[in-house]
Amino acid sequence: DKFGKKVVYTLILSTFGSLLLAALCWFILGATLTGFVVLFLFYGFGVLYCYEQIKKLQADLPKQEHTTRVALLDLFMGNVNELTSELEKSVGPIPKAWPFLVKHFIPQ
């Protein structure tokens, strides 16, 4: 609840919604280029909205604990980075690409 439900759900919707709409264009309509345009625009506007909301959230705080960049990294990768740190204690070193793949590639 660091960022609020609105920001988190927007990021989820932009991540999976953009892929779903692009897949509809690719496989139902057969429009490959349109699918890629939809994918990048839908995802881009969702991320832009999250960015603006985080900036607004930070402006409302009397003391900024983090910069906007750190807050965005926490939103995008925070929970999986915490999981990686926890797992490294028991299984040893984990490749640096693993958290990114788990968060952004495997769910797709």
Side-chain angles (χ1 to χ4, degrees), residues 37-95:
V37 169
V38 166
L39 176 75
F40 291 117
L41 284 178
F42 194 89
Y43 185 73
F45 281 120
V47 170
L48 183 65
Y49 177 79
C50 290
Y51 174 74
E52 292 297 325
Q53 291 300 312
I54 287 175
K55 278 179 52 177
K56 192 184 304 182
L57 230 158
Q58 287 187 322
D60 293 343
L61 296 175
K63 223 183 207 187
Q64 290 188 0
E65 296 178 11
H66 302 295
T67 63
T68 305
R69 181 174 182 251
V70 171
L72 282 171
L73 284 172
D74 193 25
L75 176 64
F76 278 85
M77 298 295 293
N79 59 350
V80 77
N81 284 339
E82 290 172 13
L83 174 65
T84 302
S85 297
E86 191 175 314
L87 287 174
E88 283 181 331
K89 293 175 188 173
S90 60
V91 300
I94 294 176

